[in-house]
Amino acid sequence: MPEKCISLADIDEAISCDELDNLAGIVQQIIYGYWDEVEVWPEFPAPTADTPMTLDQAGKWDGNITMKEGKRAYRLVVTDGAGTLTITDQGEAGGESVRYQLDVERAKMSAVIFGFENATRGRRLFVLVQDKNGTTYLMGDKLNACKRVAADAATTGTAAESDVNKTPLRFQYDCARKLIYTGDPEALLTAAQSGNNG
């Protein structure tokens, strides 16, 4: 094992064109699935026997999610401009971790969205959410699942000119590290075929 797990490096001011782009918010869809239908999970990044990780390597999951044969992930389109992902440091010294929390809304209460809530209540999940800069975040890993937890109340609203009939949804996931997912979330929307996992 190298002396240090991660090599430090200079972090300069953003100088490329794409680094100057920084748009708030998440894209209008999330991708989700049942935790126990995943065949292969990405791993935490780790140094090699004699080489520490770069800062870039230390901030990314190693590998991609693949689903069990015949299983797939699903898309949930949410209300644009009404979602946010937060990643918050937590824990005491020697036991620090991070909490990923995704808050989204689905305009209008409906049987389908209530059915989604019933199907995911108490279930272990994974969720992939992408920000409007194109960065994807994974909620869930091989040991710790993402959960849908209590959010604000679904509401009819009161005033037609200022309120929205809506269903808020909240997902939480505790992880040892802050990490980016670099796989293709859209690939998970097709059922996995035999021999294509891993």
Side-chain angles (χ1 to χ4, degrees):
M1 189 62 99
E3 183 180 339
K4 300 288 184 186
C5 291
I6 304 169
S7 292
L8 299 182
D10 293 324
I11 303 173
D12 297 323
E13 184 179 14
I15 54 172
S16 67
C17 294
D18 60 348
E19 287 179 321
L20 295 174
D21 296 336
N22 186 12
L23 185 61
I26 63 170
V27 297
Q28 200 174 349
Q29 72 170 19
I30 63 172
I31 292 174
Y32 72 96
Y34 285 132
W35 179 89
D36 57 4
E37 293 182 352
V38 173
E39 180 75 23
V40 177
W41 290 94
E43 300 285 345
F44 286 124
T48 61
D50 56 358
T51 307
M53 292 181 284
T54 65
L55 293 178
D56 185 66
Q57 291 169 330
K60 297 176 181 175
W61 287 102
D62 184 6
N64 301 328
I65 294 177
T66 58
M67 304 297 290
K68 294 179 179 176
E69 183 177 352
K71 303 301 181 183
R72 54 165 287 204
Y74 297 87
R75 174 187 293 114
L76 170 62
V77 177
V78 297
T79 303
D80 195 24
T84 185
L85 173 70
T86 58
I87 307 174
T88 306
D89 292 317
Q90 62 181 5
E92 300 296 326
E96 298 95 338
S97 63
V98 291
R99 169 160 289 178
Y100 293 65
Q101 180 168 301
L102 174 65
D103 287 286
V104 294
E105 290 180 1
R106 173 75 181 206
K108 192 175 182 182
M109 295 185 288
S110 69
V112 170
I113 202 65
F114 287 172
F116 167 80
E117 291 183 281
N118 293 334
T120 57
R121 180 187 298 133
R123 291 295 302 268
R124 292 182 293 176
L125 307 169
F126 71 89
V127 171
L128 288 158
V129 56
Q130 189 174 63
D131 68 25
K132 290 193 174 180
N133 297 308
T135 302
T136 302
Y137 307 87
L138 169 63
M139 299 176 67
D141 63 57
K142 67 181 180 181
L143 298 177
N144 300 302
C146 177
K147 294 280 186 75
R148 188 180 64 76
V149 299
D152 292 339
T155 179
T156 60
T158 303
E161 70 277 4
S162 60
D163 293 339
V164 177
N165 180 310
K166 64 184 178 181
T167 303
L169 301 167
R170 173 173 290 172
F171 302 87
Q172 287 182 344
Y173 160 62
D174 292 322
C175 185
R177 306 185 201 173
K178 293 181 179 178
L179 297 168
I180 301 294
Y181 181 73
T182 58
D184 179 10
E186 296 286 330
L188 298 171
L189 298 173
T190 302
Q193 303 297 313
S194 178
N196 290 341
N197 293 336

